Amino acid sequence: MEWENQTILVEFVLKGLSGYPRLELLFFVVVLIMYVVILLGNGTLILISILDSHLHTPMYFFLGNLSFLDICYTTVSIPPVLVSFLSEKKTISFSGCAVQMFLGLAMGTTECVLLGMMAFDRYVAICNPLRYSVIMSKGSYVPMAAGSWIIGVVNSAVQTGCVVQLPFCRNNVINHFTCEILAVMKLACADISGNEFIMLVATTLFTMTPLLLIIISYTLIIISILRIRSSEGRSKVFSTCSAHLTVVIIFYGTILFMYMKPKSKETLNSDDMDATDKLVSVFYGVMTPVINPLIYSLRNKDVKEAVKHLLRRKIFNK
């Protein structure tokens, strides 16, 4: 205890896949390719939602925010991971770790809330189409999107602020690719029950509440769709929300898989994370932003038409 009190932690060691050196080069290439796809795919969605006047609607405004969020989220986490794959020194300063925790948690919280807002938008569009333009006016959907970002920043500021005030002394090895807040919290040489309670409350409010909103919205949407007599009409209406529903299933499905997957006794007892858990965390952090633009472009006629229109206009201008 005396040794711990005299030691001030100035950096953390990110373990990552250091126990699997042969996999590091392979995953460097894979993750780099995925990062380029994220930038191109989400950047294209943002560009067409700005340039095409037909896409100046609440749905595509939210989608533009989601794409920008995915670019920010991956830019915070992927470059340091890529560097760690090639570097023998896998350390990060205490302040750098705090910034990474703050940005990662802020982006994750914002995405949860934003997906809930998008579900509400689809509910109004399908169940109250005649009042859609009134309910989802610019005076409504812009504050809704802004509120999602504010909630993410405030939640992250509170939780990160509580974590950085904890005393860290002997153990500085984070068994993860990045400074994930729970992994960092467990290294503190102090009672973290208060921090865990704050995290539980925040998770319930900002992760489960949006999920509940999504479930309620889609339950009402499905009921509304089933009332449509023609199969063609049902298919047409469902296509307007299928892309968002697919993204929600992937996003929350990966979270549930990560945290509800049965763990071995060794993992439970040591708080260790095996290679499979780490790769699933990469899927959660990288694959979802990769898949989002693909889903919205492949399953959305408006986006396809907007891309074709912009390409034709560019060709003719030449």
Side-chain angles (χ1 to χ4, degrees):
M1 182 62 69
E2 183 181 349
W3 183 90
E4 289 181 352
N5 288 336
Q6 294 175 353
T7 304
I8 300 174
L9 196 73
V10 294
E11 65 179 14
F12 291 102
V13 177
L14 297 170
K15 191 174 180 182
L17 282 174
S18 56
Y20 306 87
R22 293 182 180 180
L23 287 176
E24 288 190 319
L25 184 58
L26 171 63
F27 278 98
F28 173 83
V29 175
V30 172
V31 173
L32 178 60
I33 292 172
M34 293 168 77
Y35 183 50
V36 172
V37 172
I38 288 168
L39 295 180
L40 291 175
N42 288 285
T44 301
L45 272 179
I46 294 171
L47 188 63
I48 63 175
S49 65
I50 293 173
L51 297 179
D52 195 305
S53 59
H54 296 95
L55 301 184
H56 292 174
T57 63
M59 175 182 172
Y60 293 104
F61 180 77
F62 286 130
L63 180 57
N65 274 265
L66 185 63
S67 294
F68 179 68
L69 182 69
D70 284 340
I71 289 174
C72 293
Y73 182 80
T74 51
T75 299
V76 168
S77 58
I78 291 180
V81 170
L82 292 175
V83 171
S84 72
F85 281 146
L86 300 180
S87 174
E88 291 185 5
K89 186 181 179 182
K90 304 179 187 297
T91 59
I92 183 171
S93 66
F94 186 88
S95 58
C97 190
V99 170
Q100 204 173 77
M101 276 192 296
F102 170 77
L103 293 176
L105 184 59
M107 300 299 169
T109 304
T110 302
E111 183 152 1
C112 289
V113 179
L114 197 57
L115 288 173
M117 299 295 185
M118 293 174 75
F120 177 75
D121 171 71
R122 291 299 83 205
Y123 156 73
V124 177
I126 294 171
C127 298
N128 293 281
L130 298 178
R131 299 184 60 201
Y132 180 74
S133 60
V134 176
I135 298 173
M136 296 302 297
S137 64
K138 191 172 183 179
S140 298
Y141 68 78
V142 171
M144 287 168 68
S148 300
W149 287 91
I150 292 170
I151 288 171
V153 170
V154 171
N155 175 48
S156 184
V158 171
Q159 292 203 56
T160 305
C162 291
V163 172
V164 296
Q165 291 179 12
L166 292 170
F168 295 91
C169 30
R170 179 168 295 180
N171 186 8
N172 71 332
V173 179
I174 301 174
N175 194 17
H176 210 285
F177 292 105
T178 60
C179 288
E180 196 270 332
I181 191 165
L182 185 59
V184 175
M185 193 191 303
K186 288 182 177 180
L187 298 181
C189 45
D191 180 20
I192 61 170
S193 57
N195 298 77
E196 289 177 329
F197 176 75
I198 293 172
M199 180 172 283
L200 177 63
V201 173
T203 301
T204 303
L205 284 176
F206 306 126
T207 303
M208 302 311 296
T209 302
L211 179 59
L212 181 62
L213 177 61
I214 291 167
I215 292 171
I216 293 172
S217 296
Y218 275 100
T219 300
L220 297 173
I221 287 171
I222 291 170
I223 293 172
S224 181
I225 289 174
L226 292 176
R227 288 175 180 169
I228 300 174
R229 294 183 178 181
S230 68
S231 58
E232 184 180 347
R234 286 197 297 268
S235 177
K236 186 177 180 180
V237 172
F238 183 73
S239 66
T240 64
C241 60
S242 59
H244 175 256
L245 183 59
T246 305
V247 169
V248 167
I249 291 171
I250 293 171
F251 181 80
Y252 277 100
T254 310
I255 293 176
L256 291 173
F257 179 81
M258 284 176 62
Y259 292 102
M260 297 184 71
K261 183 173 72 70
K263 300 184 186 300
S264 63
K265 289 184 178 179
E266 292 79 8
T267 302
L268 289 170
N269 293 334
S270 64
D271 287 330
D272 217 11
M273 180 184 280
D274 60 25
T276 304
D277 291 324
K278 293 176 185 178
L279 296 180
V280 170
S281 72
V282 170
F283 175 84
Y284 166 65
V286 180
M287 282 301 294
T288 305
V290 168
I291 292 171
N292 284 358
L294 294 176
I295 292 172
Y296 277 104
S297 59
L298 294 176
R299 298 181 63 89
N300 194 301
K301 186 192 294 185
D302 293 335
V303 173
K304 290 180 186 177
E305 290 299 321
V307 172
K308 290 178 183 177
H309 176 69
L310 290 175
L311 289 175
R312 283 197 299 266
R313 191 168 68 179
K314 188 174 182 180
I315 291 170
F316 287 133
N317 286 340
K318 289 183 178 179

